[in-house]
Amino acid sequence: MKYSTKDIENILYKYLPIEEGYQRAVIEAMNYSFRAGGKRLRPMIMKLVYDMFAIEEKLDLIGPFMAALEMIHTYSLIHDDLPALDNDLVRRGLPTCHAKYGEDMAILAGDGLLNFAFETASKAFLACPGNVAVEKAFVSLAKRPGIYGMIGGQVLDVAMSGKPLDDEQIDFININKTAALIVCAMEIGGLLGGADETDCENLGHIAKCVGLAFQVQDDILDIIGDEEKLGKPVKSDEKNAKYNYATVHGLEEAKCYVMEMSRKAIMMIKDIKASNEDARQQLMELVNSLINREF
Amino acid sequence: MKYSTKDIENILYKYLPIEEGYQRAVIEAMNYSFRAGGKRLRPMIMKLVYDMFAIEEKLDLIGPFMAALEMIHTYSLIHDDLPALDNDLVRRGLPTCHAKYGEDMAILAGDGLLNFAFETASKAFLACPGNVAVEKAFVSLAKRPGIYGMIGGQVLDVAMSGKPLDDEQIDFININKTAALIVCAMEIGGLLGGADETDCENLGHIAKCVGLAFQVQDDILDIIGDEEKLGKPVKSDEKNAKYNYATVHGLEEAKCYVMEMSRKAIMMIKDIKASNEDARQQLMELVNSLINREF
């Protein structure tokens, strides 16, 4: 079985809140942004790593975490697009959350999604009460998107906007702002699938390489990408005077970096002791596709 | 032993992140708002309820949850004060987070605190791995502040700003926007202290009464309070044309309502099977003080 984006969405959508009650307005805004497309890369990676290790599929265990991580990713986009931050009106070819529902509702929708992510993940406690691996997965879900992960990277990105960045700072931003959620996806997939400590550590290294490749490819596409395929305006880094790997080191070096990181990741994926070869194969294809993607 | 606000703060402050590293800017903003005072009502209530039941005090179990709930309360104030929402520049006699650190940093500081709350609470898993009561406490921490709790109440409050509210809507706002976090405090205190299911249910009823009394007293103080004692401008509900229990039913009826809710809560607290009478006594005094408070 090979997962399509649609297959992953079919799992995720089951966990969305129903648009009813007095809080309907915020749920509509949350679901609008959640359903606005995207590659579903993080839950896809989580599921593939889970499948690599799991003897028996427990969807009521991995499903809540897949949905939770995608909710966290979505909230971060909603808040990132706000006027006080990137001030973007279009994403994935659609109006951003605040452009459609107003700034007040977009702030609350972001808060709602971040909070609902933990509420959703906590459903896994009901499926497996008293299970330490689930608790560890929760620790990862709480840590990686936070101030020592994604938010930490965003803060430096915001604070240094328009100012030159050195390599250490670019690395810090890419590792935290982007790679942290990929690390989270692989860690949780491994933990819930039953990977041992060494495997989990290796998954962390793999995820870091994948995240770095993904972010630098993003920087490259912002320079040479096709606005229509990307679903958002290009040259936004130039417009916002943002320094990143591609603008600092140039296109050719950036392309080499993406290739190198992906190659390293794939080599390490080959070495993982996995019981499910199909899942390993699709994970490697997925990483490969990140190099050649146009959106 | 009787807790002062300072005693509770001594517990809470241990869990604050250190202001260092590339993410320093956001941590400063988070800690500034967290340290800006307040009654520490929610963690105080949580600790008193915990003490009522717990045979032996485990501070590494209850401490993370006390800090987490106060972080969630603080984030909600930071985002509530933003220009797109209440647009308040002063709180507790100090500049609000965005007035001091800018709107971008205030959005990230709020996100950071909400996320760090769950990261902090997850430390309790290390203190007691595989413990179902801790997992249930986590479920409460994720549910009560969310779209089916605090955020749900905020949404109706924001959506109806300036429009007349009926009693059902006022109740919905007060139960969710304010009482939900008090319910969370009592539920978690009970769960971690070892209360049984009936006790936990009763604690929920008590907390709802306390929360409703607290909110309506807030509405009253907005009409007749002393700006200096409150540390924030009064008549803000009038200014923002906000309907609430006190503006709709009048001052006298509102005062009766606060008395009635507090009386009910105290009667129920008396009936709880608790092992620690001192804690019960202070909890009753605390509820009583909510009726007579001037700030």
Side-chain angles (χ1 to χ4, degrees), chain B residues 63-83:
Chain B
F65 279 97
M66 291 168 65
L69 188 57
E70 189 71 2
M71 285 172 196
I72 289 174
H73 174 56
T74 306
Y75 114 78
S76 79
L77 300 181
I78 293 176
H79 280 188
D80 224 29
D81 287 336
L82 285 170

Side-chain angles (χ1 to χ4, degrees), chain A residues 75-87 98 103 106-108 110-111 114 147 151 154-155 158, chain B residues 26 29-30 33 74-76 78-85 97-99 101-115:
Chain A
Y75 114 79
S76 78
L77 300 181
I78 293 176
H79 280 188
D80 223 30
D81 287 336
L82 285 169
L85 288 150
D86 282 356
N87 195 20
H98 70 91
E103 211 180 321
I107 293 168
L108 290 168
D111 294 346
L114 175 55
I147 51 173
I151 294 176
Q154 283 174 315
V155 169
V158 167
Chain B
V26 79
M30 289 161 64
S33 289
T74 306
Y75 114 78
S76 79
I78 293 176
H79 280 188
D80 224 29
D81 287 336
L82 285 170
L85 290 149
C97 193
H98 69 90
Y101 293 97
E103 211 181 323
D104 50 359
M105 215 38 86
I107 293 168
L108 289 168
D111 294 345
L113 275 167
L114 175 55
N115 198 128

Side-chain angles (χ1 to χ4, degrees), chain B residues 5-294:
Chain B
T5 303
K6 190 91 205 73
D7 294 329
I8 299 297
E9 285 181 340
N10 285 340
I11 299 174
L12 302 179
Y13 286 179
K14 281 185 209 140
Y15 295 95
L16 290 182
I18 299 166
E19 295 168 17
E20 62 182 16
Y22 282 132
Q23 53 278 82
R24 186 189 180 121
V26 79
I27 299 179
E28 272 179 25
M30 289 161 64
N31 289 355
Y32 166 78
S33 289
F34 193 94
R35 289 175 179 275
K39 291 174 279 292
R40 312 303 184 187
L41 186 66
R42 293 153 195 83
M44 172 85 82
I45 288 175
M46 190 191 289
K47 186 69 168 69
L48 288 170
V49 171
Y50 174 79
D51 287 357
M52 273 171 67
F53 292 97
I55 314 280
E56 176 201 10
E57 185 187 59
K58 280 191 183 170
L59 213 50
D60 54 354
L61 188 63
I62 189 72
F65 279 97
M66 291 168 65
L69 188 57
E70 189 71 2
M71 285 172 196
I72 289 174
H73 174 56
T74 306
Y75 114 78
S76 79
L77 300 181
I78 293 176
H79 280 188
D80 224 29
D81 287 336
L82 285 170
L85 290 149
D86 284 356
N87 196 18
D88 281 323
L89 293 169
V90 177
R91 179 181 287 276
R92 295 168 181 162
L94 293 169
T96 51
C97 193
H98 69 90
K100 190 166 166 85
Y101 293 97
E103 211 181 323
D104 50 359
M105 215 38 86
I107 293 168
L108 289 168
D111 294 345
L113 275 167
L114 175 55
N115 198 128
F116 198 62
F118 292 102
E119 194 170 343
T120 302
S122 74
K123 291 192 171 122
F125 288 138
L126 298 174
C128 270
N131 184 315
V132 175
V134 180
E135 292 177 2
K136 281 187 184 166
F138 224 102
V139 170
S140 172
L141 187 74
K143 182 180 174 186
R144 301 301 179 189
I147 51 173
Y148 300 111
M150 185 182 70
I151 293 175
Q154 283 174 316
V155 169
L156 188 62
D157 201 28
V158 166
M160 295 299 288
S161 190
K163 291 176 205 149
L165 294 171
D166 62 31
D167 278 356
E168 194 185 293
Q169 291 168 319
I170 291 174
D171 250 24
F172 181 88
I173 291 172
N174 293 352
I175 287 173
N176 288 289
K177 192 177 169 181
T178 309
L181 290 201
I182 314 276
V183 171
C184 187
M186 290 212 177
E187 259 175 4
I188 292 176
L191 281 164
L192 298 182
D196 65 25
E197 219 165 295
T198 315
D199 288 329
C200 283
E201 210 172 290
N202 290 333
L203 286 169
H205 294 309
I206 295 168
K208 205 173 125 182
C209 291
V210 174
L212 288 170
F214 186 77
Q215 180 55 53
V216 176
Q217 181 67 12
D218 234 38
D219 301 340
I220 293 171
L221 288 174
D222 190 69
I223 300 174
I224 62 164
D226 182 319
E227 205 155 304
E228 218 166 291
K229 281 182 189 157
L230 284 166
K232 63 181 176 185
V234 294
K235 317 259 187 241
S236 74
D237 292 334
E238 197 183 310
K239 187 190 79 185
N240 297 322
K242 280 209 173 159
Y243 286 75
N244 60 44
Y245 195 95
T247 57
V248 168
H249 291 272
L251 267 178
E252 285 320 301
E253 215 179 309
K255 283 179 187 171
C256 287
Y257 181 88
V258 172
M259 295 250 272
E260 177 57 18
M261 285 296 148
S262 309
R263 198 186 57 77
K264 265 175 80 173
I266 285 172
M267 267 180 49
M268 285 189 280
I269 295 172
K270 277 186 183 151
D271 281 345
I272 290 265
K273 306 185 295 291
S275 54
N276 181 331
E277 279 307 321
D278 285 355
R280 185 208 302 273
Q281 202 53 43
Q282 195 182 347
L283 187 62
M284 289 196 293
E285 282 169 28
L286 182 68
V287 173
N288 250 323
S289 74
L290 295 180
I291 322 177
N292 303 308
R293 73 193 168 101
E294 294 183 324

